[in-house]
Amino acid sequence: MSDDIDRAVERLRRTKSLLVITGAGISAESGIPTFRGNDGLWQNYRAEELATPWAFERDPVTVWKWYDWRRGIIGKAEPNAGHLAIKRFEETFPDFFLITQNVDGLHGRTGIRKIVEIHGNLWRVRCTRDNRTSMLTDVPLKTIPPRCECGEILRPDVVWFGESIPTEALQASYNVMSLCDTLMVVGTSGVVYPVASFPETVKDKGGFVIEVNMEPTPITNVADVSLFGKSGDILPAIAERLPH
Ligand code: BJW
């Protein structure tokens, strides 16, 4: 492990353009359940059964109760040492970008600026009539499902399975992938597309991939270095060894 950290640090010292991708694992140490694995279950539903437009159409009340439960947890959570280390990377690398799959907004609360939330944000809602978005921060929600002023049901402004990633977010992601020479992938199981394909895209153009996760994932086969452990331990240890 210490040899692997040395290799990662050595590469980062030579990196001109750093791209970081995060998933639910980065927020696990803030007390937010991940999607897959035992703590991903909510009342015996799997995330895959709730995070779809079909589930919402069929039963918006159950889907909103799941979001209300998650908003309750996230509303009390604070960014952890892993989020803060990524903010330090932004300060260290003049050419830096973060793509997060998380909708919890915790990266934003560190003050990070160069970020795209590729799956949206769960504090933002969208009218199902005209797609107008607004912020809704009530915890718990006053009514379930919440309604727009126009009377129509609101939905969370997030990307569900089978829905397209907003064009601007996807374009920004491909743009930063083409620029970066090192990609660090943190706390994602690497099974949800399109992000699951990003490490291979960076490898194909000659980039270096560093993975940080508790356990091996499909990304491990692509990564040049895999660091197994908590992101809240590993990322600050790396940040500490970079010039600032
Ligand atoms: C730690 C840790 C610690 C724990 N430290 N690590 C190509 C091939 C096959 C299928 C598809 C394809 N292209 C598209 C699809 C379909 C689909 C898809 O990917 N399906 C797969 C499941 C097969 N993708 C889509 O539909 C996407 N849309 C799209 O591509 O549009 C075009 C298109 C559509 C259809 C067909 C073809 C093209 C949209 C995907 C939207 C995903 N939405 C969700 C919900 C968001 C809203 C919400 O949060 O409520 O996004 S699902 C959920 O999964 C959420 C997450 O962002 C996402 C990824 O999960 P993540 O972050 O990886 O979490 P976990 O729990 O899986 O993993 C946590 C990891 O952390 C683990 O590895 C732990 O070990 C680790 N960990 N503690 C470090 N302390």
Side-chain angles (χ1 to χ4, degrees):
M1 171 69 149
S2 112
D3 281 359
D4 286 337
I5 290 220
D6 288 349
R7 282 182 63 213
V9 168
E10 193 267 329
R11 171 70 194 195
L12 287 164
R13 284 187 181 144
R14 291 189 290 114
T15 290
K16 292 205 166 56
S17 174
L18 176 66
L19 171 60
V20 179
I21 292 176
T22 59
I26 184 94
S27 294
E29 289 159 74
S30 295
I32 301 175
T34 59
F35 289 94
R36 292 159 192 89
N38 289 339
D39 66 348
L41 289 172
W42 174 75
Q43 296 191 4
N44 294 326
Y45 289 96
R46 290 163 60 235
E48 286 86 343
E49 293 162 345
L50 294 163
T52 76
W54 307 284
F56 188 71
E57 215 167 281
R58 202 173 45 238
D59 188 357
V61 170
T62 297
V63 173
W64 262 118
K65 280 185 179 166
W66 179 52
Y67 278 97
D68 198 36
W69 171 72
R70 289 173 58 200
R71 287 160 58 105
I73 295 170
I74 291 166
K76 292 196 198 102
E78 295 293 331
N80 64 52
H83 295 105
L84 296 172
I86 293 174
K87 167 66 181 146
R88 274 177 75 179
F89 294 155
E90 181 180 55
E91 288 153 12
T92 303
F93 295 88
D95 202 351
F96 166 92
F97 207 81
L98 170 65
I99 301 172
T100 186
Q101 297 172 90
N102 299 345
V103 299
D104 57 32
L106 286 189
H107 282 296
R109 285 180 44 201
T110 67
I112 206 158
R113 287 178 304 109
K114 296 175 184 167
I115 175 176
V116 61
E117 294 177 313
I118 196 163
H119 291 162
N121 187 299
L122 101 174
W123 299 111
R124 209 165 49 228
V125 290
R126 191 159 90 221
C127 177
T128 54
R129 188 198 302 260
D130 64 9
N131 286 330
R132 231 165 1 122
T133 58
S134 54
M135 299 306 283
L136 179 61
T137 52
D138 298 345
V139 177
L141 288 164
K142 292 195 178 82
T143 55
I144 291 186
R147 291 192 180 264
C148 181
E149 289 162 353
C150 76
E152 203 44 76
I153 291 182
L154 291 164
R155 59 163 282 175
D157 192 25
V158 299
V159 183
W160 285 325
F161 284 116
E163 296 186 322
S164 303
I165 305 293
T167 314
E168 218 173 283
L170 200 57
Q171 197 49 56
S173 301
Y174 281 110
N175 194 27
V176 289
M177 271 191 285
S178 74
L179 295 174
C180 77
D181 50 9
T182 300
L183 167 65
M184 189 184 275
V185 195
V186 184
T188 179
S189 54
V191 296
V192 176
Y193 289 84
V195 173
S197 67
F198 291 177
E200 214 156 341
T201 305
V202 170
K203 275 298 281 190
D204 285 350
K205 59 143 208 146
F208 191 92
V209 176
I210 301 168
E211 179 185 34
V212 179
N213 202 304
M214 298 289 285
E215 58 190 29
T217 71
I219 296 165
T220 311
N221 301 323
V222 177
D224 295 279
V225 181
S226 286
L227 305 171
F228 296 118
K230 292 183 177 176
S231 46
D233 294 335
I234 294 173
L235 298 181
I238 291 175
E240 204 47 54
R241 292 177 55 186
L242 296 175
H244 38 258

